[in-house]
Amino acid sequence: MHKKFIVMAHIALNYNARNLQAKNALNYILSTGLFIPDNIKKTGLEEAFEDIEKGRVYPLITSKRKENAKRKTYA
């Protein structure tokens, strides 16, 4: 039996993001499906939603604020 080994390599590219030809070349390379971007960065909003889903968000209401919120005001 032949064993198949998967060899992964990382390529770092430095290019001017405003250069249209560089963008098109990079998009073409990625569209072939031979290369997969390694680190797709999340936006701040996506990270915030992930924090909410995983329960990593805590309320900022302190005990004094809770007491004041519970008090009823009469006009």
Side-chain angles (χ1 to χ4, degrees):
M1 280 189 163
H2 296 284
K3 293 184 180 180
K4 292 186 179 181
F5 294 101
I6 298 175
V7 178
M8 303 283 287
H10 291 266
I11 300 172
L13 301 173
N14 293 322
Y15 65 97
N16 183 356
R18 293 182 181 169
N19 186 337
L20 187 60
Q21 290 176 334
K23 279 185 181 180
N24 289 339
L26 185 58
N27 287 335
Y28 173 74
I29 290 169
L30 293 175
S31 71
T32 61
L34 297 173
F35 300 96
I36 301 169
D38 189 24
N39 56 350
I40 298 173
K41 293 185 179 180
K42 295 180 183 177
T43 64
L45 186 61
E46 290 172 340
E47 288 178 1
F49 282 132
E50 182 180 328
D51 288 342
I52 292 169
E53 289 173 359
K54 293 188 176 184
R56 295 185 290 214
V57 179
Y58 302 99
L60 291 176
I61 297 177
T62 60
S63 60
K64 275 190 173 181
R65 283 188 169 178
K66 284 182 182 179
E67 289 174 12
N68 290 335
K70 288 179 184 178
R71 292 183 190 167
K72 294 183 181 178
T73 56
Y74 298 99

